[in-house]
Each structure stands twice: as structure tokens, then as C-alpha cells.
């Protein structure tokens, strides 16, 4: 991954939003005419995509939160797939 890509700032594409479903105890991504049930890792990643944090900062926060290192490839792959699905956009 290039340094430029790690400096990009992803955010949920409007009007998408995150919601925690207490009954199912799972994160949901609410999109027009669609609800995506996310696993814990996907929810944690997308919650950090606020347009202010860079991809590098998202990786750093998740590695710190979960006490793991080497998550960069998995996170970048998930973000790329999320962007392809239209869930994310990059902030200018």
C-alpha cells in the first residue's frame, strides 16, 4: 500500500449510517433500501471511517484497541471492498 493511500480519509457514503442493534447485538450498516449486518471487525472499522481519520490512523487505533499488530493488509482489503460496494467515499 502506498503512503498516499494510507493518508486518504474514508467516510461512509451519505445517506449510509451505522447503528448498533441491541436485540441482535450486532452492528448494522443502514443504506437506502438495504440493511447490512456486520461482524464485530467490520463494524469497528466502519465506525472509525468518519472522514477525519486517515487509513493509517484507523489501522493504528484498531491495532491499539485489539492489542494486535499486522492488521494493515486486512483493513485495507476490507476498505477497498467497502468502497467497491459503494459504502465508503474518500474525503477531499
Amino acid at each position: 500500500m502506498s503512503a498516499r493511500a494510507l493518508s486518504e480519509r474514508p467516510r461512509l457514503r451519505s445517506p449510509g449510517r451505522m447503528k448498533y442493534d441491541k436485540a441482535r447485538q450486532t452492528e448494522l450498516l443502514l443504506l437506502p433500501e438495504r440493511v447490512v449486518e456486520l461482524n464485530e471487525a467490520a463494524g469497528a472499522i466502519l465506525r472509525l471511517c468518519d472522514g477525519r481519520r486517515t487509513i493509517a490512523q484507523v489501522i493504528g487505533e484498531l491495532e491499539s484497541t485489539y492489542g494486535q499488530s499486522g492488521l494493515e493488509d486486512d483493513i485495507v482489503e476490507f476498505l477497498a471492498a467497502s468502497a467497491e460496494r459503494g459504502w465508503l467515499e474518500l474525503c477531499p
Side-chain angles (χ1 to χ4, degrees):
M1 160 123 319
S2 71
R4 180 188 174 283
L6 290 177
S7 68
E8 292 176 334
R9 296 177 295 122
R11 68 175 172 208
L12 288 179
R13 186 178 299 275
S14 185
R17 64 186 178 94
M18 297 288 298
K19 179 181 179 185
Y20 185 76
D21 184 334
K22 291 178 186 175
R24 293 185 218 166
Q25 297 186 351
T26 190
E27 293 279 0
L28 301 175
L29 174 59
L30 306 178
L31 302 166
E33 301 179 22
R34 191 166 144 207
V35 176
V36 180
E37 190 172 329
L38 303 167
N39 64 29
E40 181 182 347
I45 294 168
L46 290 180
R47 283 224 176 256
L48 295 176
C49 293
D50 58 7
R52 294 187 305 266
R53 292 176 180 93
T54 65
I55 292 173
Q57 289 170 322
V58 168
I59 293 165
E61 283 189 45
L62 290 168
E63 287 182 340
S64 175
T65 298
Y66 291 99
Q68 295 183 1
S69 60
L71 299 178
E72 179 178 327
D73 291 342
D74 291 334
I75 293 170
V76 168
E77 183 179 323
F78 175 77
L79 292 174
S82 297
E84 286 177 20
R85 291 182 178 110
W87 300 352
L88 293 174
E89 63 188 4
L90 297 175
C91 293

